[in-house]
């Protein structure tokens, strides 16, 4: 317990990766009509640290995105907003832009995302951005990514455009997919017509946290390619309703003593271990729901998956460098019942020296 005895309450919260809590860091505008002009979205956040925070800058990744934000200092427990305005003029097709938020609070920058698809209602209808060919059908991507979904909340359908590029109608005969993936689709796809299919990802049926990869097969009468296979991706989290400042203080709070772990130089073929410490800074029991590594080379173990208030646990990292070389950057994602910061990531790096 020596580490925590040396660190004050405020500094422990200073270790939290992102002191500003956003209910959602990504917004999808869907189809944006170019002739209607700029579209705007407000990202609402509140200060979950123990000190006032001022936003110093919001840097967009493109000149087509114009930001605005709360200029005055945001007191602990108070809210603010960041506005993102996107101008679709002269930018047909899919867009994905980011805004980098920096504050006067120590820690890494916060990344916000806006995306959508610009359409020109005056232009001839066509699949200009549907570049993936599967037989006579054209799709936007080689996979279906439904984005963030929740285990404990009904998730809306996500639409994906497709285009029948043939001169004949194509029938969709059947869809083979896992029970938790429901595909809604037209039975007949008329020739030279843009249409849509929808995917409902029922995360509560599968019951898994984190990044999930599945697959589905669409069986059709397309003579060029009757069966079309697609990966389906989703990031599954637990939904928490917004809390009042009083509810925040009573909730479980996960704090890790460092969010970056450097293995340093590693000899090829020699497995190495390191550890960090996690603590429940809240007033209710903290439960670790799931731990996910983005590489099989990185195995992680929590000494305790349930922490009482002020209890701490050891996070052990075991890295196997076999078959790898040079600089390695990996990540660990922790899913917990911390309602303010339920998903936390630890960056892991090292250099394999042959």
């Amino acid at each position: 317990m020596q580490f925590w005895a040396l660190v004050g309450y405020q500094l422990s919260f200073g270790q939290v990766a992102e002191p500003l809590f956003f209910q959602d860091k990504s917004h999808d505008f869907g189809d944006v009509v170019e002739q209607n002009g700029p579209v705007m979205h407000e990202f609402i956040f509140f200060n979950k640290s123990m000190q006032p925070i001022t936003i110093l800058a919001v840097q967009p990744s493109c000149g087509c995105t114009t930001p605005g934000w709360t200029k005055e200092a945001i007191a602990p427990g108070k809210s603010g907003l960041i506005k993102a305005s996107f101008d679709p003029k002269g930018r047909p097709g899919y867009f994905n832009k980011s805004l980098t938020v920096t504050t006067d609070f120590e820690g890494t920058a916060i990344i916000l995302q806006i995306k959508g698809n610009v359409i020109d209602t005056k232009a001839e209808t066509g699949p200009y951005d549907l570049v993936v060919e599967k037989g006579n059908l054209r799709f936007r991507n080689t996979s279906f990514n439904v984005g963030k979904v929740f285990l404990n909340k009904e998730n809306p359908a996500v639409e994906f455009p497709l285009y029948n590029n043939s001169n004949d109608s194509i029938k969709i005969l059947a869809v083979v997919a896992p029970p938790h993936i429901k595909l809604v689709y037209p039975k007949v796809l008329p020739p030279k017509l843009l249409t849509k299919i929808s995917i409902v990802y029922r995360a509560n049926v599968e019951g898994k946290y984190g990044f999930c990869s599945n697959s589905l097969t669409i069986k059709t009468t397309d003579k060029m390619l009757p069966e079309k296979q697609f990966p389906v991706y989703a990031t599954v989290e637990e939904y928490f309703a917004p809390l009042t400042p009083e509810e925040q203080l009573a909730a479980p709070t996960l704090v890790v003593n460092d969010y970056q772990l450097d293995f340093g130089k590693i000899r090829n073929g020699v497995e190495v271990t390191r550890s960090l410490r996690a603590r429940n800074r809240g007033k209710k029991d903290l439960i670790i729901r799931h731990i996910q590594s983005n590489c099989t080379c990185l195995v992680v173990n929590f000494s305790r998956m349930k922490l009482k208030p002020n209890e701490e646990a050891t996070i052990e990292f075991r890295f196997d460098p076999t078959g790898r070389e040079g600089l390695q950057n990996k990540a660990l994602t922790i899913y917990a019942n911390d309602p303010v910061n339920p998903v936390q990531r630890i960056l892991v790096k090292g250099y394999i020296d042959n």
Side-chain angles (χ1 to χ4, degrees), residues 117-130:
N117 181 50
V118 178
I119 58 175
D120 183 353
T121 56
K122 293 183 179 179
E124 181 181 353
T125 302
Y128 51 83
D129 63 337
L130 304 185

Side-chain angles (χ1 to χ4, degrees), residues 335-349:
Y335 297 85
N337 69 330
D338 176 346
V340 175
N341 206 11
V343 181
Q344 299 193 27
R345 290 178 178 85
I346 299 174
L347 304 180
V348 181
K349 65 178 182 178

Side-chain angles (χ1 to χ4, degrees), residues 256-319:
V256 180
N257 70 311
D258 201 343
Y259 287 89
Q260 296 189 48
L261 180 63
D262 191 348
F263 277 95
K265 285 191 176 182
I266 306 169
R267 289 182 57 192
N268 194 1
V270 179
E271 189 177 274
V272 291
T273 60
R274 297 286 189 276
S275 64
L276 293 174
R277 278 169 286 185
R279 192 177 190 185
N280 179 7
R281 264 294 186 185
K283 296 182 179 180
K284 292 184 179 179
D285 288 354
L286 175 75
I287 301 173
I288 306 299
R289 305 288 199 195
H290 182 63
I291 307 167
Q292 187 174 60
S293 168
N294 67 348
C295 180
T296 56
C297 61
L298 182 66
V299 179
V300 183
N301 178 59
F302 248 80
S303 62
R304 288 190 181 91
M305 298 295 282
K306 183 177 181 179
L307 300 177
K308 295 184 180 300
N310 291 318
E311 190 173 20
E312 79 171 21
T314 300
I315 314 174
E316 183 182 81
F317 297 78
R318 188 169 74 251
F319 182 76

Side-chain angles (χ1 to χ4, degrees), residues 88-284:
K89 185 177 181 179
R91 296 181 173 87
Y94 179 73
F95 66 90
N96 189 329
K97 309 297 179 181
S98 64
L99 298 97
T100 302
V101 182
T102 55
T103 72
D104 62 353
F105 191 98
E106 291 184 14
T108 57
I110 301 168
I111 306 298
L112 305 178
Q113 179 190 52
I114 58 172
K115 56 185 176 179
N117 181 50
V118 178
I119 58 175
D120 183 353
T121 56
K122 293 183 179 179
E124 181 181 353
T125 302
Y128 51 83
D129 63 337
L130 304 185
V131 296
V132 176
E133 296 183 356
K134 294 273 190 176
N136 281 306
L137 298 185
R138 293 172 63 175
F139 300 82
R140 179 172 290 158
N141 301 105
T142 57
S143 63
F144 297 130
N145 191 336
V146 300
K148 183 191 296 185
V149 295
F150 297 102
L151 268 167
N152 56 337
K153 185 180 179 182
E154 185 175 350
N155 298 294
V158 181
E159 294 184 337
F160 299 90
L162 74 156
Y163 183 81
N164 179 0
N165 199 39
S166 72
N167 294 318
D168 301 307
S169 293
I170 294 177
K171 294 180 180 180
I172 297 181
L173 303 176
V175 173
V176 180
H180 62 281
I181 296 177
K182 181 182 178 182
L183 191 69
V184 180
Y185 54 90
K187 301 294 183 182
V188 179
L189 306 174
K192 305 299 181 182
L193 184 68
L194 189 68
T195 185
K196 295 179 180 180
I197 59 176
S198 300
I199 292 180
V200 179
Y201 197 99
R202 298 178 294 180
N204 62 315
V205 174
E206 188 180 30
K208 292 183 179 179
Y209 281 85
F211 179 76
C212 297
S213 176
N214 300 270
S215 63
L216 63 78
T217 301
I218 301 176
K219 297 183 177 182
T220 71
T221 57
D222 184 355
K223 295 178 181 179
M224 284 186 62
L225 186 66
E227 294 191 1
K228 310 172 195 301
Q229 296 182 337
F230 295 88
V232 180
Y233 302 124
T235 302
V236 183
E237 299 180 10
E238 184 175 356
Y239 173 78
F240 294 93
L243 303 179
T244 65
E246 293 76 16
E247 290 172 330
Q248 289 181 56
L249 294 175
T253 302
L254 172 63
V255 177
V256 180
N257 70 311
D258 201 343
Y259 287 89
Q260 296 189 48
L261 180 63
D262 191 348
F263 277 95
K265 285 191 176 182
I266 306 169
R267 289 182 57 192
N268 194 1
V270 179
E271 189 177 274
V272 291
T273 60
R274 297 286 189 276
S275 64
L276 293 174
R277 278 169 286 185
R279 192 177 190 185
N280 179 7
R281 264 294 186 185
K283 296 182 179 180
K284 292 184 179 179

